[in-house]
Amino acid sequence: MCESTGAELAAELLFTAGDLARMRFAVSPMWEVGPSLRLLHSGLAHAVHQPWVEQVRPRLAAAGPAHGWLAELVPPAGYVPDFVNPAPAGPAPTLAGELAAIRATPAERVRRDLDRMRDGQGRLGPRLRALYADPAAGLARLTEAIEAYWDLALAPYWARIRAVLDADVLHRARQVAEHGAARALNDLHAELCWTEDTLRLRRRSRPLSRRTAGAGLLLIPSAFTGPALFSRLAPPDPPQLAYPARGIGTLWAAGAAPATGTAALAAVLGRSRTLLLTELAAPASTTELAHRTGLSPSAVSQYLTALRDARLVSAHRAGRSVLYARTASAEALLAPLMRA
């Protein structure tokens, strides 16, 4: 698993017992923002995420200039400023918490990251130049743009995405418990290799050291990073490695509950509410749900309100529309029926 040709580019990160003791996993909303934006802006089809792309890309286009900040911040390829991915303080930070950490970034850190970005690209766009000139004001506007993008593109799907990420973390934690950290690290990604007290990152030309990486290690599963391994090195924070989570291939798979399962659930929730829950395999508006189910818009609205009060659906504004999505509780309720 750790074979090397000897000629490949690689970097090595030395571990002490203390570094290994500080290794942990976290789920980060911001690690979904950048990669998902890059996918949408690429204009390309995607083997896994195409159902999501087809729903979100038109909304992003309709938003227009409102997302210019993010287009400059996340280029089609290359470096994205490190301050966009603050080290998660716990295992599952909220978007609000991560945005607060971004707004608190010291001015010198913002300018240092933007200097690196300019060196790689040759120039900064007008919004990033404004951010460079006045980091405090620029970060406030940038985080507003990130929040708007989140509401439009990721919040309606977060329960489903989060379930996949949490399942990955549970799998890795079980590996550590049953086989040790070395097994978990060697199984994490093809570009990672653990030997003795060293973590080797293949195909990485930039050097690694504890002086430039901080103590410990933070491992972050992601739905949108694609096959690549992404890293963030910004001391004194621990190094972050974002890797593709297990189970992404089934993330957007639509499944209908079998008739017997639907009937059993309908006996509790009512036929119309159950029908709406099964139709929300992907987020949808009241108008879309009315068209698909044959229920009147007013009836759909009434049933969705009841489901929202029961915390089985959530509502998210996307431009002029409101999209309804199943919550994690609803996904857990329906999961046994989908497998039946």
Side-chain angles (χ1 to χ4, degrees):
M1 188 174 292
C2 288
E3 294 179 359
S4 171
T5 64
E8 65 183 1
L9 292 173
E12 295 182 344
L13 185 63
L14 187 68
F15 275 70
T16 66
D19 291 316
L20 199 57
R22 292 184 182 93
M23 186 180 80
R24 61 187 177 92
F25 289 84
V27 171
S28 166
M30 282 306 303
W31 269 111
E32 305 305 327
V33 168
S36 66
L37 262 168
R38 185 165 279 175
L39 172 59
L40 288 169
H41 289 157
S42 71
L44 302 175
H46 194 278
V48 172
H49 295 304
Q50 196 58 27
W52 174 84
V53 168
E54 290 174 355
Q55 293 178 44
V56 174
R57 191 173 279 159
R59 298 181 209 150
L60 193 67
H67 294 285
W69 272 97
L70 303 185
E72 291 186 24
L73 186 74
V74 183
Y79 175 71
V80 174
D82 288 327
F83 66 77
V84 174
N85 295 107
T94 63
L95 178 70
E98 293 195 317
L99 294 182
I102 292 173
R103 286 191 294 270
T105 306
E108 61 272 18
R109 177 63 161 282
V110 173
R111 293 189 175 111
R112 183 168 68 245
D113 287 357
L114 292 179
D115 282 337
R116 178 180 170 186
M117 191 174 191
R118 182 186 56 219
D119 292 344
Q121 294 188 342
R123 61 182 293 275
L124 295 176
R127 295 173 182 84
L128 293 188
R129 291 198 298 271
L131 174 60
Y132 195 101
D134 188 350
L139 288 175
R141 295 190 63 188
L142 173 61
T143 52
E144 288 176 1
I146 292 172
E147 189 169 21
Y149 170 76
W150 177 269
D151 289 343
L152 181 153
L154 292 172
Y157 309 89
W158 185 237
R160 178 178 290 199
I161 295 170
R162 176 69 188 273
V164 170
L165 303 183
D166 285 345
D168 178 275
V169 171
L170 288 173
H171 170 78
R172 310 295 177 185
R174 184 170 182 176
Q175 276 190 317
V176 173
E178 294 182 353
H179 305 287
R183 169 76 168 271
L185 287 169
N186 279 326
D187 188 57
L188 199 69
H189 195 277
E191 294 178 13
L192 285 182
C193 174
W194 172 269
T195 54
E196 298 293 336
D197 58 356
T198 302
L199 185 65
R200 182 182 178 89
L201 279 73
R202 299 188 179 102
R203 300 186 181 91
R204 179 182 172 86
S205 57
R206 296 176 65 87
L208 275 175
S209 73
R210 282 299 168 188
R211 182 181 59 81
T212 61
L217 180 65
L218 190 52
L219 298 166
I220 301 176
S222 173
F224 286 98
T225 54
L229 183 73
F230 288 83
S231 61
R232 174 189 184 268
L233 305 176
D237 294 341
Q240 294 184 44
L241 295 179
Y243 63 91
R246 290 163 45 92
I248 296 303
T250 63
L251 181 58
W252 310 115
T260 54
T262 299
L265 189 59
V268 178
L269 297 181
R271 187 190 67 82
S272 296
R273 295 183 184 92
T274 302
L275 177 61
L276 290 173
L277 274 185
T278 57
E279 285 291 331
L280 284 173
S285 67
T286 300
T287 302
E288 290 173 304
L289 290 169
H291 177 74
R292 296 206 305 248
T293 62
L295 298 169
S296 69
S298 61
V300 170
S301 179
Q302 177 184 347
Y303 294 136
L304 287 174
T305 297
L307 290 170
R308 188 178 181 185
D309 290 343
R311 298 187 179 181
L312 293 176
V313 302
S314 55
H316 310 273
R317 181 160 294 280
R320 297 180 179 178
S321 300
V322 174
L323 298 178
Y324 291 87
R326 292 196 298 234
T327 63
S329 297
E331 296 288 356
L333 184 65
L334 289 170
L337 305 182
M338 301 300 185
R339 294 193 296 265

